[in-house]
Amino acid sequence: MMNMHITEEVPQLKEYIDLRFDAGLPEVEESIAETALNRSLLSVLVRDGNDRLIGMGRVIGDGALYFQLVDVMAAASYRDQGLEETIVSELLARLKKIAPSGAEVTVITDVPGIKLYQHAGFKLLYPERYGMAGAV
């Protein structure tokens, strides 16, 4: 991919919401999105030559034992061009510098995303462990 640059910063609220929409993710209220962004441990942004946000990913967690990759997304026009792989690679490289040895990094993904994360070294938990999700 040409003419893009990667930074470690939190995106502006509007550009985050716009990218979520472009990437096909569910809409979130601004106040909730702002809280989520402000509580990120690590955030990697990818911008095009016009400084438009075209992809990003975040790390959340306790900052010591458990870390989770979230919001790994690319604008629709950049999807399936390797941008998601670049984002995951950047997040893991930067996380490796700040996470203690033995810390656990997890991800929750849809079925099409499994290959992306397996390519980055993630393994399915089943049958050794089970993952669950719920909502409040």
Side-chain angles (χ1 to χ4, degrees):
M1 297 218 311
M2 300 180 344
N3 208 14
M4 66 174 197
H5 59 280
I6 299 169
T7 60
E8 185 177 318
E9 62 180 301
V10 177
Q12 297 297 314
L13 180 58
K14 182 179 180 343
E15 66 182 356
Y16 170 74
I17 290 172
D18 290 348
L19 180 61
R20 282 184 63 91
F21 177 79
D22 191 9
L25 295 177
E27 187 176 337
V28 293
E29 292 179 32
E30 284 189 11
S31 62
I32 293 171
E34 185 173 35
T35 298
L37 290 174
N38 289 334
R39 293 186 179 167
S40 303
L41 297 176
L42 173 64
S43 182
V44 170
L45 308 184
V46 182
R47 298 183 181 280
D48 66 11
N50 297 318
D51 209 35
R52 182 176 74 98
L53 183 64
I54 59 170
M56 69 166 288
R58 298 187 303 128
V59 175
I60 60 173
D62 63 15
L65 293 174
Y66 301 102
F67 299 86
Q68 183 178 13
L69 302 188
V70 297
D71 281 342
V72 174
M73 60 181 135
S77 58
Y78 289 88
R79 201 168 298 129
D80 300 324
Q81 296 182 27
L83 184 56
E84 296 95 336
E85 290 85 352
T86 299
I87 293 166
V88 170
S89 176
E90 286 287 330
L91 285 171
L92 293 175
R94 293 164 194 250
L95 190 54
K96 194 173 209 170
K97 294 177 184 177
I98 62 170
S101 178
E104 183 172 83
V105 181
T106 58
V107 66
I108 297 173
T109 187
D110 56 11
V111 173
I114 291 173
K115 288 186 182 186
L116 165 68
Y117 295 103
Q118 284 179 323
H119 185 259
F122 287 84
K123 296 181 180 12
L124 295 172
L125 298 175
Y126 180 83
E128 289 82 25
R129 297 190 288 165
Y130 293 85
M132 293 184 221
V136 290

